[in-house]
Amino acid sequence: MSKTYKIAVLPGDGTGPEVIAEGLKVLNAAAKKFGFGVETKEFDWGGDRYLATGNVLPDDAAETLKQFDAVYLGAIGHPKVKPGILEKGILLKLRFDLDQYINLRPVKLYPGVETPLAGKGPEDIDYVVVRENTGGIYTGIGGISMKGSKDEVAVQSMVYNRMQVERAVRFAFEQALKRHSSEPPWKGLSNKDLADGKIGQVTLCGKTNVLTFVFDLWERTFYEVAKEYPQIKTGYCHVDATCMWMVKNPEWFDVIVTCNIFGDIITDLGAMTQGGMGIAAGGNINPQGVSMFEPIGGSAPKYTGMGVINPLAAISAGAMMLDFLGESEASEAIEKSVAFITGHKLKSMAAGKMGYSTSEVGDLVVENL
Ligand code: IPM
Ligand code: MN
């Protein structure tokens, strides 16, 4: 009997529904081709529902989503809603309540896609960022006191416990194994590394020179966990230097592991180097629970309803979802189709400049599956 996956679909705000429609088109085509089923249920959580009802998210939202195999999310963010309400009330709340403690963000330049990095091509820009996704500054520990007075103080702390750091770091080493155990070793390895049996690399991105408490914990944990993975080479970069190397020598990276806020920042930079928000996908992962896959760009409200937004990030997020559900063949087929159409069809990744409409891009991916 073939499997049927239950997917909760949260199209969200702005252009979210348009890109998710294309993602679902591709998922359904892949399901047919590879012999599995997809059963979807849509939820209207987002800005419009909030404006109409005053309610950001139903109280039982997380419990509801736990009944599904995965969550497929469009975008959260509405121009008429004050920044922070929907982001914290929906996106961050679901990440926390579903304990999606990893945000996995591939930085991969597809063929034919223009990168602002001069002289760099697809063979140079191909790594993943493992962003810790539920801790650090995002826990919101802190407060504001004497607000409005000249003595006002505000505190927001970077909080990590050993368990949170360890599980993120371990996930990163497992990713490095996954990337290279059936594929050739990572191309950045030296002959000596290869002779030593190394197959991949994990780089810790931190700030041990200033955040001497939190990154002391990260650094010690990182090197302790690394001992369990003798095939994986280790590296360390301060976050500011990471930004520099991501631009200057992206080929130096294989897997980067970092804290929540640094991961947030460096993955926007990474997305730009891979051709922009139209192509960058990510997964909020709970390896033991329900994970949520999303294009990492926002809701791009100014393009809503115009049929010009690029759906490839959402389509790639769908491919990541299939990989995590165990349908790796279907996932790879989608990835290959995306790479084919970026290489042979699309003029640009930017909204309105693709040479095709949003739904035509979805059709192209389906045709080339
Ligand atoms: C992201 C976004 C979110 C984050 C915002 C919308 C809360 O920027 O997914 O990277 O900071 O994590
Ligand atoms: Mn972000």
Side-chain angles (χ1 to χ4, degrees):
M1 261 268 309
S2 79
K3 251 193 118 164
T4 293
Y5 300 100
K6 288 172 68 189
I7 311 290
V9 179
L10 278 54
D13 301 319
T15 52
E18 288 166 65
V19 297
I20 285 297
E22 299 316 306
L24 289 174
K25 191 193 271 178
V26 174
L27 284 179
N28 284 317
K32 219 168 174 185
K33 186 163 169 147
F34 291 90
F36 59 89
V38 185
E39 193 185 298
T40 57
K41 183 166 181 196
E42 210 172 292
F43 297 88
D44 67 351
W45 306 336
D48 287 327
R49 179 178 174 277
Y50 170 69
L51 289 170
T53 65
N55 181 269
V56 187
L57 203 61
D59 291 338
D60 61 354
E63 286 314 307
T64 304
L65 295 181
K66 284 181 190 165
Q67 314 301 313
F68 290 83
D69 294 309
V71 183
Y72 194 30
L73 172 78
I76 298 293
H78 196 294
K80 295 201 181 115
V81 181
K82 198 175 137 206
I85 295 179
L86 301 171
E87 292 87 338
K88 278 193 158 174
I90 301 179
L91 187 62
L92 297 183
K93 181 151 174 47
L94 290 179
R95 285 177 182 170
F96 277 85
D97 289 359
L98 294 170
D99 199 18
Q100 293 164 340
Y101 59 84
I102 298 295
N103 200 323
L104 183 64
R105 296 185 161 181
V107 180
K108 182 178 165 78
L109 181 67
Y110 283 95
V113 176
E114 201 183 328
T115 173
L117 306 188
K120 300 293 175 186
E123 59 297 345
D124 303 305
I125 305 174
D126 183 9
Y127 56 96
V128 296
V129 177
V130 173
R131 163 185 175 188
E132 196 290 324
N133 206 33
T134 52
I137 292 181
Y138 279 70
T139 53
I141 289 184
I144 195 155
S145 171
M146 296 170 279
K147 194 166 180 172
S149 81
K150 66 175 175 23
D151 299 320
E152 176 167 0
V153 284
V155 184
Q156 209 140 9
S157 303
M158 186 181 276
V159 183
Y160 271 112
N161 66 33
R162 165 84 194 206
M163 177 277 291
Q164 289 173 307
V165 175
E166 194 171 319
R167 65 185 183 175
V169 164
R170 186 163 276 116
F171 187 92
F173 281 95
E174 289 293 330
Q175 271 298 305
L177 282 186
K178 183 168 187 271
R179 277 167 71 81
H180 304 292
S181 45
S182 56
E183 306 274 311
W186 176 56
K187 59 206 170 319
L189 294 168
S190 68
N191 287 337
K192 179 175 184 306
D193 295 330
L194 293 170
D196 289 346
K198 305 285 184 204
I199 59 170
Q201 170 169 285
V202 179
T203 305
L204 172 64
C205 162
K207 191 71 188 171
T208 52
N209 53 349
V210 175
L211 303 178
T212 47
F213 307 130
V214 169
F215 278 97
D216 178 63
L217 173 62
W218 273 83
E219 197 178 32
R220 279 183 291 114
T221 308
F222 179 74
Y223 287 112
E224 271 169 47
V225 171
K227 288 188 198 140
E228 297 167 32
Y229 297 88
Q231 322 88 307
I232 307 299
K233 188 177 174 177
T234 53
Y236 173 82
C237 269
H238 294 319
V239 61
D240 43 356
T242 304
C243 292
M244 177 171 81
W245 300 126
M246 280 171 68
V247 170
K248 196 168 180 293
N249 293 98
E251 68 279 6
W252 287 0
F253 296 116
D254 181 15
V255 176
I256 298 178
V257 62
T258 192
C259 71
N260 206 342
I261 188 74
F262 293 172
D264 176 47
I265 297 166
I266 69 170
T267 53
D268 269 29
L269 173 60
M272 284 302 129
T273 67
Q274 70 180 117
M277 290 301 191
I279 187 88
N284 301 276
I285 314 276
N286 175 344
Q288 291 82 33
V290 181
S291 301
M292 178 166 77
F293 298 84
E294 53 172 342
I296 82 170
S299 58
K302 68 178 176 186
Y303 298 117
T304 306
M306 294 165 66
V308 297
I309 195 79
N310 187 344
L312 288 181
I315 291 170
S316 292
M320 282 182 84
M321 177 164 76
L322 289 182
D323 187 41
F324 272 82
L325 290 171
E327 298 293 339
S328 49
E329 239 188 304
S331 172
E332 275 168 38
I334 297 175
E335 287 286 313
K336 281 203 179 114
S337 178
V338 168
F340 177 80
I341 73 153
T342 61
H344 296 91
K345 304 277 179 186
L346 261 56
K347 288 206 193 92
S348 158
M349 293 301 113
K353 296 184 181 150
M354 301 183 290
Y356 297 92
S357 70
T358 303
S359 75
E360 284 170 343
V361 174
D363 292 341
L364 280 173
V365 178
V366 168
E367 279 161 31
N368 292 288
L369 260 187

